[in-house]
Amino acid sequence: MAVSASVRHDHQPVYVLHTYPFKETSLVVELFSRELGRVAAVAKGARRPRSAMRGMLQSFQPLLGTWSGKAELKNLHSLEWGSGLLLLQGEALMCGFYLNELLLRLLPREDAHDGLFDFYGLTLRVLASGGETATTLRRFELQLLQQLGYAVPLLQDETGQPIQAERAYDYQAERGACRATQAQSGVRLQGKTLLDMSADDYSDPLTQQQSKQLMRMLLAFYLGDQPLHTRQLLIDLQGL
C-alpha cells in the first residue's frame, strides 16, 4: 500500500506567536502564517545551545518558515529572516504580547486570514515606531473580530435603522446596538462612538473611552470563562 507524500510548505511568511518545550531538546512553535493561518510545528533540537534555529524563534519578527507534515503538529525545518526587523520596547512590547495571546486564543488552526496577517504586521510596525498604543489596540481588536467573522455592526442598530450620533445605545454581543432603556443591558455608549469607530476616527476622548469598554466586553464574550494571561506574562517579563 503506497504511503502519501508529506505536504511541504517552503519559505512561507510567518510570525512566531509562542513556543513551549517538547520532549528533551525540542520546542513546539505556534506560527501565524499568511497563507495557512495558525500552524503548530516541532522545532527539533531547538533547545540545544548550538541550535541554528534557536536564535530565530523570536516573536514580532517577520520570518520565512519551511515545514512539512499532514498531522496537526508539523515538522519545522528552517526559519529565515524576513524584511524589516522590528524592535518593540516598554509598553509597545506589552501590547505585542497581548496581540499574540488574542491570536492564540481566537484564531483557529490552519484557517487562512491573509488580511488579518497583513494587519497584524502593520500593527507591529506602528507599535515599533512609537504609535499611540490604545488606539492601535482598538483597531486591531476590531479587525480581529470582523475578519474572524464575528458580527460587530457599527452603522445600524439591531432593527436595521442607521445609527444616530446623538442617541444613546446599549451594545450587546451578537445583537449589536439596541436603543438605550432605563434598564441598561450591555455597554452603554453614544451613537457617535460607533460611527467614529466605523470611520476609524478615535480622536474624541469619549470615543476612546467607550470603544475600549465595548471591545473589552466583546472579547470577554468570545473568549469565554478563561481570562487572558498577558498581564502575568508582562509581570514575568518585568521580573527578568
Side-chain angles (χ1 to χ4, degrees), residues 75-175:
N75 291 312
L76 184 61
H77 300 297
S78 67
L79 286 173
E80 305 169 30
W81 297 113
S83 59
L85 299 184
L86 300 176
L87 178 62
L88 272 63
Q89 302 181 84
E91 187 177 9
L93 180 64
M94 294 190 279
C95 292
F97 282 118
Y98 173 70
L99 301 184
N100 283 7
E101 188 171 8
L102 284 177
L103 289 170
L104 285 167
R105 292 285 302 279
L106 291 173
L107 189 63
R109 284 266 172 85
E110 299 186 44
D111 185 11
H113 290 277
D114 54 352
L116 181 60
F117 180 91
D118 293 341
F119 197 81
Y120 172 77
L122 173 63
T123 303
L124 292 180
R125 292 192 293 274
V126 171
L127 291 172
S129 67
E132 204 280 316
T133 55
T135 297
T136 301
L137 292 183
R138 297 297 85 75
R139 288 175 172 141
F140 183 81
E141 291 163 347
L142 182 59
Q143 281 283 328
L144 174 63
L145 293 183
Q146 290 178 331
Q147 295 206 30
L148 291 183
Y150 298 112
V152 188
L154 300 173
L155 295 176
Q156 295 178 326
D157 66 17
E158 64 168 345
T159 68
Q161 295 299 309
I163 294 293
Q164 298 181 29
E166 69 282 359
R167 175 165 285 164
Y169 295 89
D170 290 339
Y171 204 101
Q172 302 176 34
E174 297 194 329
R175 286 189 64 187

Side-chain angles (χ1 to χ4, degrees), residues 24-25 43 104:
E24 292 185 1
T25 62
L104 285 167

Side-chain angles (χ1 to χ4, degrees), residues 25-47:
T25 62
S26 301
L27 290 169
V28 171
V29 185
E30 290 278 4
L31 297 169
F32 184 19
S33 160
R34 189 177 195 278
E35 295 187 12
L36 293 105
R38 186 163 66 91
V39 175
V42 176
K44 294 181 179 179
R47 297 169 65 191

